[in-house]
Amino acid sequence: MDLGRLATRTPRRVRNAEREAAVLVPVVERPARSDASTGSDPYLLFTKRADHLGEHPGQMSFPGGGREPEDDDLTETALREANEEVGLDPGEASVLGALDGIKTVTEYAITPVVARIPDREYVPDEREVAEIAVLPVSGLVDPGNYEYEHREHPTYGEIVVHYFHVDGYTVWGATGRMVVQLLELTTDWRAPERLDPEAYG
């Protein structure tokens, strides 16, 4: 992954949503799986939302939530939420940039903040997080693990929904859209088809 590309772009912001939110897109480097390599492989840390939550229960997501009045900016929101949900100390994160904002059907404008974090054990907050999954980018870019479908959205018309099936987990919805943009910005992978209105989740 060429994460340096994130620092040279200006992400698009969503400006017509009722509420602001942010998620942290955590990148973890682990020793390369291949015996012939001495380098490292990139992984992404996801959370599986607790089944009792009112919005998107059981879905794979990145740590995040709504902006609070005490947050200076949306990067602080993302880091605070990651601390609450998986125990990441904000000082451990190296922020690299942001992806384009996404407006969800629940009227949130979500800013995805990308950061490198240490490869260590993280502890889920059981009130919000059922499980933590660290998935290899090599699995996300594998064509055999990806599929998409066209859906008719009640507000935005025809959309493309992306699905990534890796290590027994399925990443889709707004989080899937974030993964698509991250991969297209930092790797050679490209989604075979996209219909991206300015906002849908």
Side-chain angles (χ1 to χ4, degrees), residues 20-23 62-67 74 77-78 80-81 85 108 128:
E20 285 188 306
V23 299
F62 292 119
R67 183 175 183 173
L74 289 165
T77 299
R80 174 182 55 75
E81 289 284 342
E85 293 185 18
Y108 273 100
E128 298 185 58

Side-chain angles (χ1 to χ4, degrees), residues 90-145:
E92 295 181 288
S94 176
V95 175
L96 304 168
L99 305 177
D100 291 343
I102 291 178
K103 182 181 176 183
T104 71
V105 293
T106 51
E107 285 298 317
Y108 273 100
I110 303 177
T111 296
V113 177
V114 184
R116 281 195 180 94
I117 66 170
D119 181 17
R120 65 168 179 82
E121 183 177 355
Y122 293 92
V123 180
D125 178 355
E126 294 179 355
R127 296 170 297 178
E128 298 185 58
V129 178
E131 190 178 349
I132 295 171
V134 182
L135 304 182
V137 170
S138 61
L140 294 167
V141 300
D142 184 337
N145 294 337

Side-chain angles (χ1 to χ4, degrees), residues 149-196:
E149 67 176 357
H150 289 257
R151 284 192 182 180
E152 194 67 25
H153 193 283
T155 302
Y156 305 112
E158 187 180 15
I159 63 171
V160 171
V161 181
H162 309 274
Y163 298 89
F164 297 87
H165 307 286
V166 179
D167 293 349
Y169 299 95
T170 297
V171 179
W172 66 289
T175 305
R177 286 188 63 211
M178 296 174 199
V179 171
V180 165
Q181 187 181 41
L182 178 67
L183 296 179
E184 290 191 335
L185 286 171
T186 63
T187 75
D188 294 332
W189 183 88
R190 296 293 180 269
E193 189 165 349
R194 296 184 66 174
L195 280 176
D196 286 343

Side-chain angles (χ1 to χ4, degrees), residues 22 68 70-82 90 113:
E68 299 291 346
E70 64 268 22
D71 296 338
D72 289 338
D73 54 30
L74 289 165
T75 296
E76 188 168 313
T77 299
L79 294 172
R80 174 182 55 75
E81 289 284 342
V113 177

